[in-house]
Amino acid sequence: MPIIDIHIHIQPLEQFRPQAMDLMRHRPDDADVVKYTTSPKEFLKFLDAAEIERAGLINYVSPDVIGFTPDVNDWIARYCSAEPRRLLAFGSVHPKYVADPAVEVERLKKIGIRGLKVHPSHQLFAPNDYRNGFGPLRAMYERAQGLGLPVMIHTGTSIFPGARNVYAQPMLADDVGIDFPELVVILAHGGRPLWMNEAFFLVRRHRNMYMDISGIPPQKLLEYFPRIEEIADKVLFGTDWPGPGVPAVRSNIDKFKTLPISASAQQKILYDNATRLFPVHA
Ligand SMILES: [Zn+2]
């Protein structure tokens, strides 16, 4: 069965602030992370070994907390251009750091970005702040909706220094589902480990709202989402590798497959849902 890991972090390591980098280093597979960051070819071999057909490579602009500048968009677009059928570039428009968010959304689509990441606790705004006068955020969602560009919103806690978890609650994205009903929204991490019930509710409530299970230890998945079969059409597999606390990609897949989840639901989560949202371009 083919597999899509919709949430892997291949990022320009040189942009990390030292404090943020401390959390990323000291991994046993540190050298691999560096190798894959500099070579899409090597990374594709890694995907082959893990039997992953396609991967979403998540990047976002976060000058204040992590250090990522708007250049991450061009960086990941260039990286994924090595094999665009298998590498899905996720970029972002930080509404505070761009002159015209709508124009930037269009530009990102043109350079090959397949989805936009919103990381409220690392970008320091709430996903619904457009209701409090943050107009550029509304402009970003509007244009993404118009262009059919999915938006992934980080939900759940973050331990990076300076991350503000008051923005990490899934329920803040309820407004986005109401105000942009045609926009495909993926709630990353399903609100783990504090707000899984909110994510479950939102995915059921909003027609175009999905979630990924990245960053959730597979052995915790059914404890966190005992009714996951009910939303099997709206759940995407992901690992969040090499994020803090995520040991390896392949072992996550193997553990996921041993869970008492029906074969048809597993197939939807591991592949079908993601390939429907991110079709392979001709
Ligand atoms: Zn992530």
Side-chain angles (χ1 to χ4, degrees):
M1 185 208 306
I3 293 166
I4 297 177
D5 183 336
I6 202 61
H7 200 129
I8 284 185
H9 288 282
I10 293 287
Q11 299 164 319
L13 298 172
E14 68 279 4
Q15 290 197 9
F16 276 83
R17 294 170 159 223
Q19 276 179 315
M21 188 41 98
D22 272 353
L23 268 181
M24 297 287 292
R25 301 315 278 261
H26 316 299
R27 302 176 55 92
D29 53 0
D30 194 46
D32 290 339
V33 176
V34 173
K35 183 169 69 178
Y36 304 149
T37 300
T38 51
S39 167
K41 238 187 199 153
E42 292 296 329
F43 179 67
L44 287 162
K45 282 191 217 163
F46 166 77
L47 292 184
D48 288 340
E51 294 175 73
I52 294 171
E53 184 186 283
R54 302 163 70 203
L57 303 187
I58 313 296
N59 277 268
Y60 54 95
V61 179
S62 171
D64 306 301
V65 176
I66 308 293
F68 299 136
T69 73
D71 289 343
V72 292
N73 292 312
D74 304 89
W75 185 90
I76 195 62
R78 210 177 316 123
Y79 185 96
C80 291
S81 70
E83 182 50 291
R85 283 169 305 162
R86 296 184 66 191
L87 306 176
L88 300 165
F90 279 70
S92 92
V93 174
H94 194 314
K96 276 183 200 155
Y97 291 98
V98 69
D100 186 330
V103 168
E104 178 69 351
V105 172
E106 281 168 18
R107 186 184 80 82
L108 297 194
K109 171 137 187 172
K110 266 191 210 121
I111 65 172
I113 297 290
R114 300 294 305 272
L116 299 178
K117 177 79 181 273
V118 171
H119 202 316
S121 45
H122 291 182
Q123 294 181 318
L124 307 183
F125 58 80
N128 63 348
D129 264 351
Y130 61 87
R131 299 199 73 233
N132 305 317
F134 190 20
L137 180 59
R138 181 189 298 277
M140 191 264 285
Y141 287 133
E142 259 168 13
R143 194 53 56 98
Q145 177 176 250
L147 293 175
L149 208 53
V151 169
M152 177 186 280
I153 301 178
H154 175 101
T155 63
T157 54
S158 165
I159 55 170
F160 277 96
R164 295 198 183 262
N165 288 299
V166 72
Y167 300 133
Q169 247 177 297
M171 195 54 78
L172 296 166
D174 186 46
D175 285 326
V176 181
I178 295 165
D179 297 327
F180 306 95
E182 301 308 320
L183 179 67
V184 168
V185 172
I186 302 164
L187 302 174
H189 318 302
R192 65 94 187 93
L194 300 181
W195 303 296
M196 289 75 75
N197 52 353
E198 292 186 13
F200 183 77
F201 167 79
L202 292 174
V203 165
R204 296 179 78 211
R205 178 180 189 206
H206 298 292
R207 185 165 44 87
N208 283 312
M209 205 167 275
Y210 296 74
M211 64 174 228
D212 79 30
I213 57 171
S214 69
I216 299 172
Q219 63 273 19
K220 289 265 187 197
L221 184 61
L222 286 174
E223 184 188 313
Y224 284 7
F225 293 99
R227 293 164 64 193
I228 198 164
E229 296 256 0
E230 290 176 38
I231 53 168
D233 288 316
K234 314 272 297 276
V235 178
L236 281 63
F237 178 80
T239 57
D240 205 25
W241 185 86
V246 182
V249 169
R250 186 63 222 182
S251 61
N252 258 32
I253 295 169
D254 294 336
K255 282 184 208 151
F256 174 82
K257 284 184 162 177
T258 66
L259 296 174
I261 298 174
S262 69
S264 69
Q266 289 205 6
Q267 159 128 15
K268 289 173 183 175
I269 294 169
L270 285 170
Y271 189 76
D272 294 353
N273 298 333
T275 203
R276 199 169 66 242
L277 294 183
F278 301 96
V280 178
H281 289 326

